[in-house]
Amino acid sequence: DVKVTQSSRYLVKRTGEKVFLECVQDMDHENMFWYRQDPGLGLRLIYFSYDVKMKEKGDIPEGYSVSREKKERFSLILESASTNQTSMYLCASSRTGTSGGTGELFFGEGSRLTVL
Amino acid sequence: AQSVAQPEDQVNVAEGNPLTVKCTYSVSGNPYLFWYVQYPNRGLQFLLKYITGDNLVKGSYGFEAEFNKSQTSFHLKKPSALVSDSALYFCAVRDSNAGNMLTFGGGTRLMVKP
């Protein structure tokens, strides 16, 4: 069964702390994504990656960075967490069109981050 | 540019009645269309997709969706709703001419009452 695993389901951090959210997929997908989800705002794309060491900004990259050192792992980093980054964070992966993908995303279970 | 709209924030239906969750889209090429469901404090789960072929697509949990090219719609349907269908539903579109990115609608909350 295909799987996207997010390391932490629930985190509570303090303002100013550095936060790492880890995501691992076992499907050999080329593409990986980080979204945040807030009530009334739907899913908003933070960053995505088409390949190892490649990253592209999404719609709301400010305050975030990412790392993709290995194909299966995509990390989201909050350098200095702020209260307005309290949210549900969703990782997803997909196969590229050239390798038979249709764009279908496979999601992890989500990481709910609270910044106090 | 690709876009998708879910015109209803919430849909209420009685258990046993048919349900419809609406989705319309806009693309320049051919659309790849998807429905996802999200239960509380969980990630999104894939329900069904339309890529090509039959306009009526059947998916998980008894859901189906009808692709209507002239109306640029991809409404999600189920003949008989269950209380356990209560969740948040997202429609998404990918333009066949525009890379690998999905664009999501704002989501529709489905409430099925006993």
Side-chain angles (χ1 to χ4, degrees):
Chain A
D1 203 10
V2 297
K3 201 155 187 181
V4 178
T5 303
Q6 294 184 230
S7 56
S8 303
R9 292 294 310 280
Y10 300 94
L11 303 93
V12 179
K13 299 292 182 181
R14 298 207 175 273
T15 300
E17 281 192 82
K18 191 169 186 175
V19 181
F20 291 88
L21 299 179
E22 304 284 341
C23 176
V24 178
Q25 51 97 3
D26 65 0
M27 297 165 281
D28 200 37
H29 284 171
E30 296 84 4
N31 306 320
M32 295 189 75
F33 306 82
W34 276 105
Y35 290 88
R36 66 176 281 177
Q37 182 182 16
D38 301 287
L41 296 176
L43 274 72
R44 293 182 290 170
L45 183 63
I46 305 171
Y47 268 97
F48 59 99
S49 169
Y50 287 137
D51 200 352
V52 176
K53 298 192 184 297
M54 303 295 289
K55 60 184 179 184
E56 298 283 345
K57 293 180 180 179
D59 300 319
I60 51 164
E62 297 78 18
Y64 303 94
S65 63
V66 290
S67 173
R68 192 159 180 210
E69 295 296 317
K70 294 184 178 182
K71 188 175 186 179
E72 67 270 19
R73 188 179 297 269
F74 193 37
S75 303
L76 181 69
I77 303 154
L78 288 66
E79 293 289 343
S80 179
S82 63
T83 55
N84 62 12
Q85 292 178 310
T86 292
S87 187
M88 171 72 115
Y89 290 88
L90 295 167
C91 176
S93 70
S94 72
R95 195 175 298 285
T96 60
T98 53
S99 59
T102 57
E104 178 183 347
L105 290 175
F106 295 82
F107 283 86
E109 288 294 318
S111 298
R112 185 166 293 282
L113 172 66
T114 301
V115 183
L116 302 175
Chain B
Q2 59 192 38
S3 66
V4 60
Q6 295 180 241
E8 303 152 316
D9 289 337
Q10 182 160 318
V11 169
N12 298 310
V13 65
E15 188 175 30
N17 283 1
L19 70 87
T20 298
V21 182
K22 295 180 180 177
C23 172
T24 59
Y25 67 90
S26 174
V27 295
S28 59
N30 292 318
Y32 295 168
L33 293 154
F34 304 84
W35 275 102
Y36 288 85
V37 60
Q38 185 182 34
Y39 298 100
N41 294 310
R42 304 294 297 275
L44 275 68
Q45 297 178 32
F46 170 78
L47 273 181
L48 50 81
K49 65 182 176 184
Y50 171 83
I51 304 301
T52 187
D54 276 346
N55 290 341
L56 185 64
V57 179
K58 294 189 183 297
S60 307
Y61 312 121
F63 284 92
E64 59 189 27
E66 186 166 13
F67 171 62
N68 188 316
K69 188 172 184 177
S70 63
Q71 296 185 5
T72 62
S73 67
F74 189 57
H75 301 331
L76 182 70
K77 300 183 179 185
K78 188 173 182 180
S80 178
L82 300 172
V83 172
S84 58
D85 292 330
S86 298
L88 190 56
Y89 290 81
F90 289 95
C91 181
V93 68
R94 177 193 159 209
D95 189 332
S96 62
N97 290 341
N100 297 296
M101 300 301 297
L102 291 192
T103 297
F104 285 87
T108 299
R109 185 164 300 282
L110 174 65
M111 299 290 290
V112 182
K113 299 187 178 178

